[in-house]
Amino acid sequence: RLNDVLAQARVANPVAQEALADLRSADDRVDGIDGKVVDVDSRSEMVIVSCRSTKGIRPGLVLHVFPPGDSRPQFGDRKGSVEVTEVEGPNTLRAVIRRESGRDPIVSGDGVASSLWGSGRSPAVVIVGFSDVDGDGLSDHDRLSEVITKAGGRLLDAVAADTAMLVDLGKPKGADDVPGWAAAEKRRDRAIKSAKAYGTRVGGIDTLLDMLGLDADSFAVGSLPRARAGNRVDPRR
């Protein structure tokens, strides 16, 4: 139940994530291990995490680290935490160590878990604004929806608690002459207000491509979604 509350709250700030975690009873057990630490660089304090799928994960997410051997460890057994900085592939994450014990440091083989994300969940996306991605003056909303779906995302009509991102494509040139723009503008304004209320990430088309690991050529007519080289997402600054 606590996991459901945290997910609905969509707490994005890493400090707030850890503060909420500290309020949790040490006797509680996590729902399950989401991934495993496969490499640790003690000099840079970076770790590589392997998981079943990186769908839906975003830089800034805090993962709590547990000793290996228990698929549902007690929350009080956590030995540290890491913050995701990069999504390096469909099954690999890079993260920086936020907290660990000098007597029991984070090592390869440790498990990681989060109450705000589950391995394999598809990111939910809302698109507002004028969807002329390829610059031909025509709406590309249908093509954009197809690319998101093929990349494993879910397209929603309105921002909700589980929305991973609001894609704001802005206003079209000569907005007054675009049929239906008046209604679309009202929807855009409502979505932006909802995103602020939920703490949902807002970005443009480049941010969406980064999150889905796609190349801009995905919008060429007749093409399939194509991953960026290395499927890498820039770390949060």
Side-chain angles (χ1 to χ4, degrees):
R1 289 194 300 270
L2 178 60
N3 288 345
D4 290 339
V5 171
L6 289 174
Q8 289 296 318
R10 288 196 52 75
V11 178
N13 185 286
V15 176
Q17 292 178 44
E18 290 197 340
L20 284 173
D22 289 339
L23 296 176
R24 188 172 182 174
S25 171
D27 295 331
D28 284 350
R29 291 187 179 273
V30 299
D31 290 339
I33 295 298
D34 295 320
K36 182 175 67 175
V37 176
V38 295
D39 193 21
V40 180
D41 186 340
S42 58
R43 291 175 299 178
S44 64
E45 298 188 330
M46 300 295 295
V47 302
I48 300 296
V49 176
S50 174
C51 53
R52 182 167 58 87
S53 172
T54 57
K55 285 183 179 179
I57 201 166
R58 303 185 307 279
L61 180 70
V62 172
L63 301 171
H64 298 283
V65 183
F66 297 87
D70 191 344
S71 61
R72 292 195 63 210
Q74 290 185 340
F75 200 69
D77 292 337
R78 69 191 188 279
K79 59 187 297 186
S81 61
V82 298
E83 179 183 341
V84 176
T85 58
E86 295 180 77
V87 177
E88 293 205 325
N91 306 101
T92 307
L93 309 171
R94 183 179 294 270
V96 62
I97 297 174
R98 289 183 55 89
R99 181 193 298 176
E100 71 174 345
S101 169
R103 293 177 296 178
D104 188 15
I106 296 172
V107 296
S108 297
D110 286 342
V112 299
S114 170
S115 297
L116 301 181
W117 168 80
S119 181
R121 291 179 187 167
S122 298
V125 179
V126 175
I127 303 173
V128 293
F130 189 71
S131 308
D132 179 18
V133 180
D134 56 12
D136 63 357
L138 302 175
S139 174
D140 295 316
H141 186 275
D142 290 344
R143 180 59 180 147
L144 186 58
S145 302
E146 180 185 2
V147 169
I148 291 172
T149 302
K150 287 184 177 180
R154 293 182 293 121
L155 200 63
L156 303 181
D157 291 330
V159 176
D162 64 342
T163 304
M165 180 180 174
L166 171 66
V167 182
D168 181 14
L169 299 176
K171 297 181 178 181
K173 295 180 179 179
D176 294 339
D177 298 326
V178 175
W181 172 247
E185 186 173 27
K186 291 181 180 179
R187 175 176 175 266
R188 175 175 177 259
D189 291 342
R190 288 195 301 268
I192 292 174
K193 290 179 181 178
S194 296
K196 291 180 179 179
Y198 283 119
T200 301
R201 184 181 184 183
V202 179
I205 186 63
D206 289 339
T207 307
L208 174 65
L209 291 175
D210 279 341
M211 188 178 78
L212 296 178
L214 298 179
D215 187 272
D217 290 343
S218 296
F219 294 95
V221 176
S223 68
L224 293 173
R226 189 169 72 186
R228 291 179 182 271
N231 201 25
R232 178 170 295 190
V233 177
D234 292 336
R236 189 187 63 172
R237 299 299 181 187

